[in-house]
Amino acid sequence: MISATVEDYIKAIYALQRESPTGDAAVTRVAVAMGVTSGTVTAMTHKLRDAGLVKAERYGGMRLTPKGSRLALDVIRRHRLVEVFLVDILKFDWSEVHDEAERLEHALSAKLIERLDAFLGHPTIDPHGAPIPDAKGRLSEVAAIPVHALPKGATATVARVDGRDPSFLGLAARHGLKPGATCSILEQTPEAESVTVAVPGHQPLALSHRAAMRVLAHPATDPPRSTRRIRSPRADDA
């Protein structure tokens, strides 16, 4: 049986691979993501490699095998379905469900997850706008851009807000920045690397570019295309 710790590592590696221009997850970055030392990650890498979940170079990064990618998407599916359940059914605030889902994602069986998916009506996104992989590990995404990349005067529809930081989610919610909301770019201040956004009926919010990276949107002048299907992981992807 795969442990919760292994699943957490695989999920972290998956996320880091997607951020990396080379498609590898560096040991040092995995260590930061997991809150452990590089030595601990190196020891875990041997276990993951022996289990057929990652490929790792002696002095390089690591990347998931097809088996590892399937596991990562399965964990992500569980996590995001749990978040939908907590928000839509149990009425948790969207700012508090990430940590709850982190604990619950490891405890649910495949049978229970499929029942939960059906009960929820087969949702395609979580409360923060992140796509939910389907039962076959396929992930559907629509391209969106950070709000700081929009020009002054532009309008856009919020597509996704990073769901990991409760304090940021609370701030975003108070200013109306939730998936589906229409926002306008009131000001761009390159010198301060900041952008000011506003949602009708809410106070404007000034965000640093770093914070604005957490809010993705579809420009009104470039409406989102129909959802595209991302191919399932293959051997040459890992």
Side-chain angles (χ1 to χ4, degrees):
M1 181 176 178
I2 295 175
S3 70
T5 300
V6 166
E7 290 186 341
D8 284 341
Y9 268 92
I10 293 301
K11 190 169 66 168
I13 294 168
Y14 177 85
L16 291 171
Q17 278 187 221
R18 287 171 63 86
E19 297 171 2
S20 169
T22 63
D24 292 327
V27 169
T28 52
R29 297 201 65 197
V30 175
V32 171
M34 294 298 297
V36 298
T37 66
S38 294
T40 299
V41 173
T42 299
M44 176 57 74
T45 300
H46 295 313
K47 296 179 181 179
L48 299 179
R49 186 173 54 200
D50 291 344
L53 297 171
V54 303
K55 292 180 179 178
E57 300 295 332
R58 183 174 178 84
Y59 298 108
M62 68 188 86
R63 62 177 61 195
L64 299 177
T65 63
K67 180 180 178 181
S69 295
R70 288 192 296 270
L71 176 59
L73 288 165
D74 180 57
V75 178
I76 291 169
R77 172 176 167 78
R78 283 181 257 149
H79 181 101
R80 293 177 180 173
L81 283 172
V82 168
E83 288 195 338
V84 174
F85 177 75
L86 292 174
V87 171
D88 289 1
I89 307 302
L90 298 187
K91 306 306 178 184
F92 275 66
D93 187 84
W94 77 329
S95 67
E96 60 185 340
V97 295
H98 178 76
D99 288 344
E100 295 293 340
E102 285 282 293
R103 288 184 283 270
L104 290 170
E105 68 188 28
H106 305 297
L108 304 181
S109 68
K111 182 176 181 180
L112 181 54
I113 282 295
E114 295 317 307
R115 291 284 183 91
L116 182 61
D117 184 34
F119 173 75
L120 295 171
H122 306 290
T124 57
I125 60 172
D126 73 9
H128 311 108
I132 299 173
D134 68 15
K136 294 183 179 180
R138 295 174 299 197
L139 189 65
S140 298
E141 294 190 68
V142 176
I145 60 175
V147 290
H148 76 269
L150 296 167
K152 180 179 178 179
T155 59
T157 300
V158 178
R160 181 173 177 177
V161 182
D162 189 318
R164 292 170 291 183
D165 184 346
S167 61
F168 183 77
L169 286 172
L171 176 68
R174 289 194 297 275
H175 290 270
L177 287 171
K178 283 195 168 187
T182 298
C183 67
S184 301
I185 307 302
L186 299 186
E187 194 66 56
Q188 283 280 10
T189 312
E191 299 84 358
E193 296 187 339
S194 70
V195 60
T196 302
V197 298
V199 172
H202 297 81
Q203 289 294 317
L205 175 64
L207 295 169
S208 68
H209 285 184
R210 182 175 180 180
M213 288 289 291
R214 303 179 184 183
V215 182
L216 303 180
H218 303 298
T221 54
D222 182 21
R225 296 165 291 180
S226 58
T227 300
R228 63 186 179 89
R229 179 68 67 185
I230 304 298
R231 57 189 171 84
S232 299
R234 303 183 307 174
D236 58 0
D237 294 322

